[in-house]
Amino acid sequence: VSTMLRILEQKGVVVSEKVGRGHRYVPHVTKQAYEAFALEQVVGKVFDGEPLALVRRLLDTKGPHA
């Protein structure tokens, strides 16, 4: 979990502050902005930058194991 939080911090999605011996992480962007960021990442990495490929997959009624 800490590795994922550090990666999100490096990407500017969360910020951290030292609290005692640990850290507290809080959002640095809005939910809407993060949704847009995450969707761009998925389209770019999983669907080769083709948003229509994502839409086609979402509309596929055969399910995830097709």
Side-chain angles (χ1 to χ4, degrees):
V1 172
S2 64
T3 299
M4 291 178 67
L5 286 168
R6 281 191 303 254
I7 291 169
L8 290 173
E9 185 175 25
Q10 290 171 353
K11 292 182 177 189
V13 177
V14 299
V15 293
S16 68
E17 57 186 63
K18 186 106 168 112
V19 178
R21 292 179 25 197
H23 289 83
R24 179 171 59 180
Y25 293 87
V26 293
H28 189 63
V29 296
T30 65
K31 182 179 185 293
Q32 184 178 6
Y34 183 74
E35 287 173 351
F37 165 78
L39 191 54
E40 287 174 13
Q41 295 292 307
V42 169
V43 169
K45 293 180 180 182
V46 178
F47 296 97
D48 297 323
E50 296 291 334
L52 286 177
L54 170 61
V55 173
R56 283 188 203 104
R57 185 65 183 133
L58 290 172
L59 295 175
D60 184 5
T61 58
K62 295 179 182 176
H65 302 292

